[in-house]
Amino acid sequence: MSDHVTGGLEGLLVAVVIGVALRSYFAKPKLPHGVRFPPGPTSLPILGNALAVDVNAPWVTYKTWGSQYGNVVYTRLFGQDNIVINSEEIARDLLENRSQNYSDRPEIATNELFGVDYTTAFHAIQ
């Protein structure tokens, strides 16, 4: 390849990396007005809290954060929002007792036509 083409590809790569970095830095989660995430550690741009988590025993980090921030902790890892629940009581309440609020499946109109309207994978909780 010529130096001109190689330089153009490097410039394009740099522009894409900078674009992705800026997009993830300025991308804010869309929450309804007045709703806030639970408390949690301050995160870095792009990486979030990834450097603070022990990859061999992440539960130790989450337990430490639970002691520091409370039983429900918000963390961001590589641009993905995560909620860590450090209490069995809260986990049962949210994930079992209120599961209808959080676990909805989309209804697919053609499933009934093909006779697969009552399958576990496509079952919508009413």
Side-chain angles (χ1 to χ4, degrees):
M1 281 189 164
S2 72
D3 290 335
H4 180 69
V5 173
T6 305
L9 291 176
E10 288 173 357
L12 180 62
L13 179 63
V14 169
V16 168
V17 168
I18 290 172
V20 168
L22 288 174
R23 181 177 175 263
S24 68
Y25 180 73
F26 289 109
K28 301 288 183 200
K30 306 293 187 259
L31 293 175
H33 181 70
V35 176
R36 296 180 17 203
F37 282 119
T42 306
S43 62
L44 297 171
I46 302 168
L47 297 175
N49 302 106
L51 297 178
V53 177
D54 180 5
V55 294
N56 295 319
W59 58 90
V60 174
T61 305
Y62 299 146
K63 181 66 178 158
T64 303
W65 286 345
S67 300
Q68 190 173 8
Y69 298 106
N71 287 328
V72 180
V73 178
Y74 168 75
T75 181
R76 192 164 173 86
L77 302 172
F78 297 109
Q80 180 161 1
D81 299 321
N82 295 286
I83 302 293
V84 178
I85 302 171
N86 281 308
S87 164
E88 181 179 358
E89 182 180 328
I90 293 173
R92 284 192 189 279
D93 183 45
L94 292 175
L95 304 176
E96 287 183 4
N97 300 340
R98 298 190 211 176
S99 64
Q100 289 183 331
N101 297 340
Y102 308 117
S103 60
D104 193 19
R105 300 271 190 243
E107 286 194 40
I108 302 174
T110 56
N111 287 347
E112 188 174 345
L113 297 173
F114 293 113
V116 292
D117 56 324
Y118 192 79
T119 61
T120 303
F122 296 116
H123 184 69
I125 297 173
Q126 301 296 330

